Amino acid sequence: MLTGTALAVPASVTVKPGDTLFRLANRYGLSVAQLRAINGLNSDTILVGQTLRLGGPPKAAGTAGAGRYTVRPGDSLAAIAARAGISVAALQAANGLRGSMIRAGQVLQVPARGQKARVVRPSTEVRLIYSYVRVGLRDTPEALAQRYRTTPDALRRLNGLGSRSHIVPGLKLLVPQRLPVPIPPPATGRALTFKTMRPLNVPVQLVRVDLRHRDVLVAPVLPRAGLSFGMGARVGQLAQRSGARALINGSYFHPRTYAPAGDLVMQGRMLTWGRIPMALAITPDNRATIRSSTTPLLLRPLDATWRGMETVIATGPRIVAGGRLFTDYNAVFRDPAVFGRAARSAVGLSSNRDLVLVSTRARLTATEMGKIMTRLGVKDALLLDGGSSAGLAWNGQAVADSVRRVSYGIGVFTGYTGRRYAR
């Protein structure tokens, strides 16, 4: 006569605190030897949270099938994959492994035979980017060199210093950094395209820039090698001297000194700063954005201003935001000529990898230029300087040259393999 009911045996059990192999075997009517054989164990050691099978064919020591497998001393990823009849890639994909290193006691998920590996592509990559840091009070040339994986002499040469003793606290030092950045999506077309179009029946010159191309560089183009007030150049001259594939006039400037009226960052260095509140900003891995500047609020730039950016061009007013016409112009733009009818140039983004440069000889208001940009599919856009300053060049030749000299241009270069910088 039975005095109790038989315990139903589940397919598996999770080890809880206080469990031993002997207690589990006794609880489910198995011998310790059977429980070890079913789970391919070579000792009586089990861990809290470990899953043990209570039925099915015994798993012989040194074999691996679909399910979970605990790595033993001497195991390799290739050997486990071979015993399971799967590829190493499938085993790596199932466990999120990038290499072949495994350790004894590690639990691996073993996919079934014939199951295809799901390739997990990395989303970031490490790139060499040069940036400026301020030497701290306790920094030595040797410590800085070690931090940035270089040598004191290499740092000295990189910064044009005659001696490593010139690396002193307070100095802004150019250093090489290996930084993780997002891998750009594949390019879908040419890096640059030029078209003459008539959106809304207005003739415009249009340059589209695909920033997915790694060798594209967008940068300010100055009349001379360095920034020098008191002189300017026409758009066609800037294009011929610089070798830029495409070039459009920049933002506003003082008519006598040619000093730019807003923030201007080139190769990670802030050349000028001013009151203009919005800017086109581009990282060294070619992610572009239109965002506000803190300079007008603080009345001066900080070391952290535009951090991470390689190129910054403050301009405006903003004429498109979120794909819609934007007319809430900032009060800093007080000159009526900014909004009256004039030849126009503008810069915009269709996405953070799609840059658009537009110029027209048609006399348009700021609002009308905003409508043109939205018709072209632009999501965010800023006016550049207009009137006699408006101009655009393609392949070194002016398509529509500026009537007057400008402070600087915005150049687009292809095939660029030089250093990339971040502020």
Side-chain angles (χ1 to χ4, degrees):
M1 180 176 177
L2 295 175
T3 58
T5 57
L7 180 65
V9 180
S12 63
V13 64
T14 301
V15 178
K16 299 178 180 178
D19 282 343
T20 65
L21 209 62
F22 174 78
R23 288 177 181 175
L24 291 171
N26 192 50
R27 185 182 307 163
Y28 294 106
L30 300 170
S31 67
V32 171
Q34 286 176 311
L35 199 53
R36 286 174 59 180
I38 291 170
N39 291 277
L41 303 176
N42 54 15
S43 74
D44 292 347
T45 302
I46 55 176
L47 303 173
V48 174
Q50 183 177 352
T51 300
L52 297 177
R53 295 190 301 127
L54 299 177
K59 184 180 286 187
T63 65
R68 293 161 63 92
Y69 176 76
T70 302
V71 178
R72 299 177 179 78
D75 275 342
S76 68
L77 209 62
I80 296 171
R83 292 198 297 268
I86 59 175
S87 68
V88 171
L91 193 55
Q92 288 173 317
N95 293 276
L97 302 175
R98 294 189 179 181
S100 58
M101 294 294 294
I102 54 176
R103 65 182 186 281
Q106 182 177 353
V107 178
L108 299 177
Q109 293 289 342
V110 181
R113 291 192 185 199
Q115 182 174 325
K116 293 183 178 180
R118 182 175 63 88
V119 178
V120 180
R121 301 187 182 278
S123 59
T124 62
E125 62 184 358
V126 175
R127 295 186 64 178
L128 181 62
I129 296 172
Y130 291 81
S131 61
Y132 292 88
V133 299
R134 196 173 294 279
V135 179
L137 290 174
R138 298 184 179 180
D139 285 334
T140 64
E142 291 73 21
L144 288 166
Q146 184 177 14
R147 186 182 308 161
Y148 297 107
R149 297 161 65 180
T150 184
T151 66
D153 280 338
L155 280 179
R156 175 187 61 79
R157 291 191 298 270
L158 182 60
N159 289 273
L161 302 175
S163 169
R164 68 174 67 180
S165 64
H166 295 160
I167 302 177
V168 295
L171 175 70
K172 270 200 169 181
L173 196 69
L174 182 63
V175 297
Q177 298 196 72
R178 290 158 181 83
L179 302 175
V181 298
I183 296 175
T188 56
R190 289 179 292 175
L192 274 76
T193 57
F194 169 78
K195 288 184 179 180
T196 297
M197 303 178 65
R198 296 186 67 90
L200 301 179
N201 205 31
V202 175
V204 302
Q205 289 77 42
L206 168 73
V207 174
R208 293 191 183 273
V209 185
D210 187 348
L211 295 174
R212 299 169 187 83
H213 289 263
R214 296 170 181 268
D215 62 352
V216 167
L217 173 69
V218 180
V221 175
L222 307 175
R224 290 181 177 174
L227 183 68
S228 59
F229 299 143
M231 70 169 297
R234 295 173 68 184
V235 164
Q237 293 172 324
L238 293 173
Q240 290 175 353
R241 295 171 186 172
S242 66
R245 282 283 311 280
L247 188 140
I248 196 169
N249 63 284
S251 186
Y252 308 99
F253 56 92
H254 193 281
R256 289 192 298 273
T257 65
Y258 290 92
D263 295 359
L264 192 65
V265 174
M266 179 178 178
Q267 293 185 331
R269 298 196 71 172
M270 180 168 276
L271 302 182
T272 64
W273 57 276
R275 297 183 300 119
I276 295 179
M278 298 294 292
L280 169 71
I282 306 176
T283 62
D285 59 300
N286 280 348
R287 285 172 292 137
T289 184
I290 288 176
R291 67 182 225 199
S292 60
S293 169
T294 59
T295 304
L297 297 175
L298 302 174
L299 302 181
R300 64 186 180 92
L302 305 175
D303 280 350
T305 301
W306 301 116
R307 176 167 291 171
M309 297 298 168
E310 179 175 51
T311 295
V312 175
I313 296 159
T315 186
R318 195 173 199 173
I319 53 175
V320 178
R324 297 190 177 191
L325 191 66
F326 188 84
T327 57
D328 187 13
Y329 306 128
N330 191 281
V332 72
F333 300 104
R334 299 172 183 170
D335 187 347
V338 172
F339 304 101
R341 292 194 173 278
R344 294 291 178 185
S345 289
V347 59
L349 295 172
S350 301
S351 76
N352 71 339
R353 299 279 185 178
D354 293 286
L355 177 68
V356 179
L357 309 176
V358 182
S359 189
T360 178
R361 286 287 188 216
R363 294 172 59 82
L364 305 176
T365 65
T367 301
E368 289 169 342
M369 190 61 179
K371 292 179 180 179
I372 295 293
M373 298 299 279
T374 57
R375 177 57 64 94
L376 293 172
V378 171
K379 303 301 183 185
D380 292 279
L382 300 171
L383 277 183
L384 297 169
D385 197 0
S388 58
S389 297
L392 186 141
W394 174 252
N395 282 339
Q397 299 295 322
V399 176
D401 207 354
S402 59
V403 175
R404 64 164 298 169
R405 292 180 295 168
V406 298
S407 175
Y408 67 94
I410 304 171
V412 184
F413 302 83
T414 56
Y416 180 77
T417 58
R419 292 174 184 157
R420 301 306 295 248
Y421 296 83
R423 178 165 162 78

